[in-house]
Amino acid sequence: MNIAQHWQTHEISNQFDEKQDYNLFETDMVLKEILARCGSQDQAELSAMGQVAGSTEYYEYAELANQHTPILHAFDARGRRKDFIEFHPAWHKWMSLNRQFDSHAYPFNHAKSPVKWVDWAARFYLAGQVECGNLCPNSMTLGSIPLIQREPELWSKIGNKLLSSEYDERDVPIAQKKSIWLGMGMTEKQGGSDVRANETLAIPVAESGRGKAYLLTGHKWFFSAPMCDAHLVVAKTEQDGLACFFVPRWLEDGSKNNIQIQRLKDKVGNRSNSSSEVEFKDAWGMMIGEAGRGIPTIIEMANYTRLTCSVGSSAMLRQALVQCIAYTRQRKAFGKHLAQQPLMQAVLVDLALESEAATQLSFHLAQCYQQDDALSVAWKRIMTPASKFWICKRAVELSGETMEVFGGNGYVDNGIMARIFKEAPVNTIWEGSGNVMCLDVLRAIARDPESIELFFKDLASTALGDDTLKQELQSLFTLFQQPPEELQFMGRSLVGRLTILAQAVLLKRYAPEFVAAAFIQTRYSSFHGRVVGILAAQQVDVECLLERALASD
């Protein structure tokens, strides 16, 4: 008897790896339709990015960057303060890729393009499907650029370095670098989302006011990302209240600024990216924006980064959907492929509807960021926080469902499904929790009632042609007339319903009828629940929806 054969206890069959080595752009029918509709001329470059980001090589880089997390070297061998964070080379591969394709600054490098924000969103969406951690510094740098552009002296020194598409990983003074990253520091232990409770104190070196130098003393409980070349920091002043400051890691004389990293956060997900706790001990900073307007200044940056949260969560939903469809088309159970099993089909089409709805809304918002007309402003002001609330919440829930599609294999920690599951919650928390987003929607409506009327009129132009949407529109409009206390108590319900209605309207306008009809029928049916796959067969066209989501090989 052959001993090797005797101990061969099983053969590996009916097992399939996650999908890799495919073009993320070319396989995404919804994305391509959106870009064509908006008039994008950038498909060739996006296809090139989709090919690289979807390659086996970059999937492996993503895995490595999240396995080998950043390491803080607070001191050198002789005890001198160093505050250097070491990253795995795979992190730099992803950072370089995003810099190369301009994910950090596309709208500002292509300021004359009428679709610059849509083309940017496509880049962010493609990268976010595979490695999300590196999107944090890309997002913050993007949001910081319009603020720095309003500071002429500062912009003249660092503008080209912010816009540069050349990646420079060196930790050296800004003057020596080819390109730089900007982060932010708002959160303190005692305040959390309540930035007005910040205690970090800024004392003027000489004169006070915009463009003047200050010394900052205090702490930040979440400081992202500490290896950025500079941060925008909120601190209070004795004369003018809260203000926003540009705080570099290195000073112009070549010495390190007095920002001490206390430790790196041991996060649930977002492992490739470094987040930290820091202390300022007379750290040098320059006031940007108007004195006493620190929160409105930093919130302007946050309005951009909230959009990135929606696009990033839409990317996670897309990747999870693709992985589920690809896997179930290969895996067999009970004599048929899983994708042919009716109960699994109900799950897959529900995921497909959710993914397309999130994508359509995120890209519509991106398009609104390109325009300053009253309707676009209303969409931005109301739906940026609303979509961040809803899409990011849905990504958390649905990432668990998609992990389940893979069974036990989805629950092991060396695959992309587990990484998406752990990554998804960061977007619900970063840049304001769900409750903060709902309050922001209600504040926007209270401060500018005309905006909600204009917004509802725009929804009505489509919704009135569908009895279900018409009824929901009328119901919501009535509910939004309630007293402020009642509105706040119902905030999550109202904002969730508002977002679903906006998604339904966009699908009705832009998606094929079988998509819009399925979304409306399932989201407004009496038995549709929070659990994925609670649908009736007659509500959906299974074959068309799944082929639209991912064409068969």
Side-chain angles (χ1 to χ4, degrees):
M1 176 182 296
N2 187 306
I3 297 298
Q5 290 179 341
H6 177 70
W7 290 107
Q8 184 68 40
T9 57
H10 69 280
E11 294 181 1
I12 297 175
S13 62
N14 201 29
Q15 289 284 342
F16 304 95
D17 297 326
E18 291 95 340
K19 186 176 180 64
Q20 297 180 5
D21 201 23
Y22 71 104
N23 191 313
L24 303 178
F25 178 77
E26 296 296 344
T27 53
D28 195 333
M29 187 180 299
V30 175
L31 176 59
K32 293 174 75 173
E33 285 180 4
I34 290 171
L35 292 168
R37 182 178 76 237
C38 294
S40 170
Q41 302 297 312
D42 211 21
Q43 286 92 330
E45 188 168 0
L46 290 169
S47 181
M49 184 180 184
Q51 187 65 46
V52 177
S55 67
T56 298
E57 179 183 13
Y58 272 80
Y59 270 90
E60 290 174 353
Y61 288 149
E63 183 72 21
L64 287 169
N66 284 274
Q67 285 181 350
H68 302 280
T69 57
I71 301 170
L72 171 62
H73 300 281
F75 302 93
D76 69 11
R78 296 296 176 263
R80 291 181 288 264
R81 196 83 202 189
K82 189 176 180 181
D83 288 317
F84 175 76
I85 299 173
E86 176 187 352
F87 291 88
H88 190 276
W91 164 266
H92 296 298
K93 289 289 188 180
W94 269 101
M95 291 288 281
S96 179
L97 179 71
N98 268 306
R99 197 91 194 192
Q100 173 191 344
F101 283 98
D102 213 6
S103 299
H104 70 295
Y106 189 91
F108 308 102
N109 278 323
H110 299 80
K112 295 182 179 180
S113 169
V115 291
K116 54 185 179 289
W117 279 98
V118 172
D119 283 335
W120 160 81
R123 287 161 167 76
F124 208 80
Y125 178 77
L126 291 173
Q129 292 182 40
V130 184
E131 209 297 296
C132 304
N134 80 100
L135 296 183
C136 174
N138 280 276
S139 171
M140 294 185 297
T141 300
L142 177 87
S144 72
I145 289 173
L147 276 65
I148 304 298
Q149 284 179 328
R150 292 201 291 272
E151 311 294 330
E153 183 179 349
L154 182 59
W155 181 255
S156 67
K157 292 180 179 180
I158 69 172
N160 288 339
K161 299 175 190 291
L162 281 171
L163 298 177
S164 173
S165 59
E166 185 174 359
Y167 179 55
D168 188 343
E169 67 183 73
R170 295 174 300 156
D171 183 25
V172 295
I174 288 175
Q176 300 176 27
K177 296 197 69 172
K178 300 173 182 176
S179 63
I180 60 172
W181 302 97
L182 256 64
M184 65 164 63
M186 290 192 290
T187 306
E188 297 184 4
K189 288 192 284 283
Q190 74 283 350
S193 296
D194 184 6
V195 182
R196 296 184 188 279
N198 279 10
E199 293 296 329
T200 296
L201 181 63
I203 303 295
V205 173
E207 298 179 69
S208 62
R210 187 172 189 167
K212 304 304 181 182
Y214 286 72
L215 296 179
L216 280 65
T217 301
H219 82 281
K220 293 298 172 183
W221 189 235
F222 276 89
F223 195 67
S224 296
M227 282 302 290
C228 286
D229 299 280
H231 291 77
L232 300 187
V233 174
V234 175
K236 67 178 184 179
T237 65
E238 293 178 336
Q239 302 91 346
D240 302 305
L242 291 169
C244 185
F245 297 87
F246 172 84
V247 183
R249 272 180 57 77
W250 292 82
L251 300 177
E252 289 187 353
D253 64 6
S255 63
K256 275 281 183 73
N257 204 357
N258 207 3
I259 307 164
Q260 295 185 356
I261 302 174
Q262 302 303 301
R263 63 174 175 174
L264 299 185
K265 295 291 191 181
D266 189 10
K267 296 170 292 184
V268 172
N270 202 248
R271 304 285 291 175
S272 65
N273 178 45
S274 61
S275 302
S276 66
E277 301 162 19
V278 301
E279 288 188 355
F280 304 127
K281 298 183 176 181
D282 281 346
W284 185 94
M286 185 184 79
M287 184 185 290
I288 68 169
E290 297 178 19
R293 298 281 295 170
I295 293 178
T297 299
I298 204 74
I299 287 299
E300 181 181 343
M301 180 180 181
N303 285 335
Y304 292 102
T305 53
R306 287 172 178 175
L307 174 64
T308 69
C309 289
S310 295
V311 177
S313 289
S314 299
M316 287 187 240
L317 287 171
R318 170 64 187 173
Q319 178 65 194
L321 170 66
V322 167
Q323 294 296 343
C324 286
I325 294 175
Y327 182 74
T328 57
R329 283 175 176 170
Q330 299 174 88
R331 174 84 170 177
K332 287 186 175 181
F334 310 110
K336 291 194 298 187
H337 287 109
L338 286 174
Q340 296 175 322
Q341 306 279 5
L343 195 51
M344 180 60 76
Q345 289 177 336
V347 172
L348 295 175
V349 296
D350 210 357
L351 294 171
L353 291 170
E354 195 75 39
S355 174
E356 177 158 358
T359 302
Q360 293 281 7
L361 177 55
S362 293
F363 277 80
H364 182 76
L365 276 175
Q367 189 174 19
C368 289
Y369 272 67
Q370 298 169 183
Q371 302 160 7
D372 293 322
D373 60 281
L375 179 58
S376 295
V377 171
W379 268 89
K380 285 187 290 187
R381 187 65 189 91
I382 296 167
M383 290 309 299
T384 297
S387 66
K388 180 194 179 300
F389 165 72
W390 186 251
I391 294 173
C392 298
K393 288 288 186 190
R394 296 299 285 158
V396 172
E397 180 179 345
L398 270 62
S399 62
E401 288 283 356
T402 55
M403 178 189 287
E404 185 180 330
V405 170
F406 282 72
N409 289 335
Y411 198 64
V412 296
D413 213 10
N414 59 351
I416 194 170
M417 303 310 293
R419 191 164 73 246
I420 292 173
F421 178 75
K422 291 189 294 183
E423 189 77 34
V426 71
N427 283 340
T428 69
I429 300 167
W430 192 51
E431 300 302 359
S433 65
N435 283 354
V436 171
M437 293 301 98
C438 292
L439 289 172
D440 201 14
V441 174
L442 297 180
R443 276 195 295 268
I445 294 170
R447 290 174 180 173
D448 186 9
E450 292 182 1
S451 66
I452 191 67
E453 292 183 14
L454 186 62
F455 179 68
F456 270 108
K457 285 181 181 178
D458 185 47
L459 296 183
S461 66
T462 300
L464 293 181
D466 183 281
D467 289 342
T468 300
L469 298 186
K470 177 182 177 181
Q471 182 178 350
E472 176 68 355
L473 181 72
Q474 292 171 338
S475 175
L476 277 174
F477 190 78
T478 300
L479 285 173
F480 272 109
Q481 312 307 313
Q482 301 299 309
E485 300 79 13
E486 294 184 27
L487 278 178
Q488 185 175 143
F489 192 85
M490 297 186 296
R492 285 188 170 218
S493 172
L494 289 173
V495 173
R497 288 174 62 182
L498 188 66
T499 309
I500 293 172
L501 178 60
Q503 289 177 329
V505 164
L506 293 175
L507 290 172
K508 192 78 174 172
R509 288 178 184 173
Y510 302 127
E513 177 59 25
F514 67 85
V515 177
F519 185 84
I520 294 168
Q521 290 173 21
T522 56
R523 270 54 188 169
Y524 292 104
S525 64
S526 60
F527 54 84
H528 181 258
R530 291 292 302 276
V531 177
V532 172
I534 301 181
L535 313 175
Q538 62 270 25
Q539 292 178 313
V540 296
D541 187 328
V542 171
E543 290 186 8
C544 287
L545 283 166
L546 295 185
E547 191 67 18
R548 176 174 174 79
L550 183 64
S552 303
D553 294 334

